[in-house]
Amino acid sequence: MTELMTRPTLAVPRLWSPAKRTGKPMRHKVVDLLSAPAARRLPAFLLPLIPIAVFLTLWHLLTAHNVVAWLRFNRMPAPEAVFHTLMTRASSAAFYDDLLASLQRILLGFGLAAVIGIGLGVLIGRSEIARMTLRPFIELIRPIPAIALVPLTILLFPSSEQGIVFITFFAAFFPVVVSTIHAMDSMPKVWEEAAQTMGAGRMSLLLHVIIPGALPGIFAGLSVAMGVAWICVVSAEMISGQYGIGYYTWQAYGLLDYAGVVVGMISIGALGLGTAWLVERIGRRVNRWLPRAAR
């Protein structure tokens, strides 16, 4: 009996222990947890506004004082006039028709360039015969500016709409196909050899190793192609279009509506930003296996 009473007791680990008091009420802890993601997003929201605010301030000061130096700001519309014109145009249905027309042309031309460019780039990257046959022809016509094809598209296509879509496709095609070829060439050979060692066939190798490994380089070309496509579609609309944001900008210049010209430029920039963001988001989603895609 004495032995049982003097035997040391075993220390049993606690599966639960009360939380230490920090002096904070529970509701404050919940607020802190909810506000943590917002605090991380705050710099991403505020930092892009800094250069915009600086640009608008300089623009206002230069136009308000009619500064004439290396550049002439005495004829430049003030930010207030541009904002007033933007609000006036935003209440017009024709403005949204122009935006939608340009956006449709971009999506159609860029989509065709992406599908055909990636397919052709993969073919050239995987086939030596295709490389010897098609690569010289691609390099021959690649330096031709897409906007130089406007006279030919007027002759070849029955409507200006088809011609503008073709110019957009022509401009976006070459960055896509060239980036795809380079992405295929720069992929490590050890990936392919490892997959073949594990018994992967040609189709399985292409779908599960080659194309996924080349996608980061392909999306880099798609991002460049989107910017080039916007440049060319706006230029084509200025020359041969009957509607679209480029046509609106050129018409505003012809009517000496300089505030309207700036509104057109802002609209082009906003559309370009939105489509570039969309391409980037899709690229991050597709390439989520990359370390930087998790940021």
Side-chain angles (χ1 to χ4, degrees):
M1 188 69 172
T2 307
E3 186 178 334
L4 289 173
M5 294 177 63
T6 58
R7 182 180 299 174
T9 57
L10 296 176
V12 180
R14 285 187 175 183
L15 298 180
W16 175 85
S17 60
K20 294 182 179 179
R21 295 184 178 275
T22 60
K24 264 189 178 182
M26 182 58 68
R27 59 188 181 86
H28 288 173
K29 295 179 181 179
V30 174
V31 170
D32 291 345
L33 289 175
L34 292 177
S35 62
R40 288 195 296 268
R41 295 193 194 100
L42 191 61
F45 175 76
L46 292 179
L47 289 178
L49 298 179
I50 295 176
I52 297 176
V54 172
F55 174 78
L56 290 176
T57 303
L58 289 175
W59 182 9
H60 171 73
L61 293 175
L62 291 171
T63 54
H65 294 85
N66 294 323
V67 174
V68 178
W70 185 58
L71 298 175
R72 297 180 300 177
F73 291 93
N74 56 338
R75 298 181 181 178
M76 186 74 179
E80 299 82 2
V82 173
F83 179 77
H84 177 72
T85 303
L86 178 61
M87 291 298 99
T88 303
R89 290 293 298 171
S91 61
S92 171
F95 180 66
Y96 297 101
D97 291 339
D98 289 331
L99 294 179
L100 183 60
S102 297
L103 192 59
Q104 287 177 339
R105 291 162 178 167
I106 277 288
L107 294 179
L108 183 55
F110 178 80
L112 290 173
V115 173
I116 299 175
I118 293 174
L120 198 59
V122 171
L123 177 64
I124 295 174
R126 298 295 297 169
S127 173
E128 194 64 29
I129 296 176
R131 181 185 295 268
M132 292 186 296
T133 305
L134 299 174
R135 188 65 187 273
F137 179 72
I138 290 175
E139 295 299 328
L140 177 66
I141 61 177
R142 184 160 70 102
I144 301 174
I147 200 64
L149 300 177
V150 170
L152 291 179
T153 57
I154 294 174
L155 296 175
L156 291 174
F157 292 95
S159 67
S160 60
E161 182 69 21
Q162 296 172 350
I164 294 174
V165 171
F166 174 77
I167 290 172
T168 308
F169 160 78
F170 187 87
F173 170 77
F174 294 103
V176 175
V177 68
V178 172
S179 65
T180 303
I181 294 171
H182 287 309
M184 302 287 288
D185 292 341
S186 61
M187 197 163 19
K189 292 293 183 183
V190 66
W191 293 1
E192 186 175 348
E193 294 170 355
Q196 289 174 342
T197 303
M198 291 185 288
R202 293 186 62 182
M203 188 58 64
S204 178
L205 184 68
L206 179 66
L207 295 179
H208 299 289
V209 178
I210 303 299
I211 294 180
L215 280 176
I218 292 174
F219 270 93
L222 289 173
S223 180
V224 174
M226 179 60 77
V228 175
W230 270 112
I231 294 173
C232 291
V233 73
V234 170
S235 302
E237 288 174 350
M238 288 181 175
I239 296 174
S240 64
Q242 298 178 354
Y243 46 88
I245 194 62
Y247 175 77
Y248 161 76
T249 305
W250 187 251
Q251 287 294 106
Y253 173 74
L255 297 173
L256 303 181
D257 181 12
Y258 299 121
V261 173
V262 179
V263 168
M265 294 167 59
I266 294 174
S267 304
I268 294 166
L271 290 175
L273 175 64
T275 51
W277 177 86
L278 181 62
V279 171
E280 182 180 352
R281 295 300 298 177
I282 294 174
R284 288 189 179 184
R285 184 70 177 174
V286 172
N287 298 314
R288 58 184 179 273
W289 54 274
L290 290 173
R292 68 173 184 270
R295 296 178 190 173

